[in-house]
Amino acid sequence: MPSPHSTRGILWYPSNTSAEDAEKGGSRMDTIRAGKGAFMISAAAAALTLAAGPAALAADPAPGSSAGGKAGSAAPAGYRVTTELPERISVQTATGATTLTAKVTNKGGKDTGAIRLTVAGFQGLTVKNVAGCTKVPEGQLPASANSAYSCAISSLASGKSRTFDVTAHFDLKKQGQICLPVTLGNSDTVLWQQGPVNFGTRHPVSDAPDTPLMLNTANVPAGSATSTPAPSESGSAAPGERLPQTGAPSVLPLAGAAAALLVLGGTGVWITTRRQSRR
């Protein structure tokens, strides 16, 4: 078959070329052009990724985890509500600013009806805002909490989730915990409680622009020459202690004398803290 010629990007064949040969030749050329195009696109994408470096990878959302969570002992039959926090967050080393998400999921077989999520911060972690939620007044905060927001959910269908964007401040010189209790409507019935659970790192780098913190890890203060976690002030998580995974026996009682009742305009929300005995 004669070789094709190209003028200004237009493929043409000599007049003695059959239509069949031209079709075959055109098909091959289209394949070559398509292959080159795909290669160029892949190369460009790879170059952009390499140019962006770790920042591009860091933008990927961290997977969620229910670490430190447990269902409430008084939850009515048929309710199976859980929460998730990101497995890692990034804190600006200079300012302590950070963001994360709090996710509520209905794993039961029916709609939840009205439920309420509370997002509470402890020690070095202060909750600055939760989008779409109401700030809890200082005088009504749970025991040992430094901040909290109350999030009303009218109903959550079976298999559905609701995610809340949380803005927070983390003091890298301290430990910091977060707690996510979910209660039934305006009652004090706990359907689920995650935490108080630590965010932290055992390998701080004080001169890094951002400090990654892992969920369920007690924090080591920035600039520390040791891997010993910072002291725990509230007693909600002892130094070096890893809180239980979902479904495991909990060291945090969900009701009783250790619970603190948070009143929000007639809404009772039980948030529990464990009190350490002094030795």
Side-chain angles (χ1 to χ4, degrees), residues 182-257:
V182 180
T183 52
L184 182 60
N186 291 333
S187 72
D188 59 5
T189 301
V190 177
L191 301 177
W192 169 270
Q193 179 171 309
Q194 182 176 9
V197 62
N198 279 294
F199 271 111
T201 178
R202 294 185 180 277
H203 305 286
V205 181
S206 58
D207 58 350
D210 298 294
T211 300
L213 302 182
M214 301 301 294
L215 182 66
N216 212 22
T217 300
N219 190 51
V220 173
S224 174
T226 176
S227 60
T228 303
S232 174
E233 298 170 359
S234 69
S236 57
E241 177 182 354
R242 292 180 63 84
L243 298 176
Q245 302 290 327
T246 303
S250 177
V251 297
L252 301 175
L254 289 168

Side-chain angles (χ1 to χ4, degrees), residues 41-222:
I41 293 172
S42 298
L48 288 173
T49 301
L50 290 174
L57 299 177
D60 293 337
S65 171
S66 295
K70 186 180 180 182
S73 58
Y79 282 90
R80 191 181 172 213
V81 177
T82 63
T83 60
E84 289 184 8
L85 289 163
E87 289 186 350
R88 67 179 183 275
I89 61 175
S90 180
V91 177
Q92 294 181 13
T93 305
T95 65
T98 187
T99 58
L100 56 98
T101 56
K103 182 178 180 181
V104 185
T105 302
N106 178 14
K107 296 184 178 180
K110 62 178 183 180
D111 292 0
T112 61
I115 58 176
R116 184 176 297 273
L117 168 73
T118 300
V119 182
F122 297 83
Q123 297 189 73
L125 193 157
T126 304
V127 180
K128 293 296 187 180
N129 187 56
V130 181
C133 302
T134 303
K135 184 176 182 179
V136 177
E138 185 176 354
Q140 298 176 2
L141 289 173
S144 301
N146 58 39
S147 53
Y149 278 75
S150 175
C151 310
I153 302 173
S154 58
S155 187
L156 203 56
S158 175
K160 298 298 182 180
S161 300
R162 178 84 180 270
T163 300
F164 295 89
D165 294 326
V166 181
T167 303
H169 175 271
F170 197 103
D171 185 344
L172 294 170
K173 296 179 181 179
K174 300 179 180 179
Q175 283 191 25
Q177 296 91 29
I178 191 169
C179 187
L180 304 180
V182 180
T183 52
L184 182 60
N186 291 333
S187 72
D188 59 5
T189 301
V190 177
L191 301 177
W192 169 270
Q193 179 171 309
Q194 182 176 9
V197 62
N198 279 294
F199 271 111
T201 178
R202 294 185 180 277
H203 305 286
V205 181
S206 58
D207 58 350
D210 298 294
T211 300
L213 302 182
M214 301 301 294
L215 182 66
N216 212 22
T217 300
N219 190 51
V220 173

Side-chain angles (χ1 to χ4, degrees), residues 31-47:
T31 302
I32 292 172
R33 285 196 298 269
K36 288 182 177 179
F39 173 78
M40 294 298 292
I41 293 172
S42 298

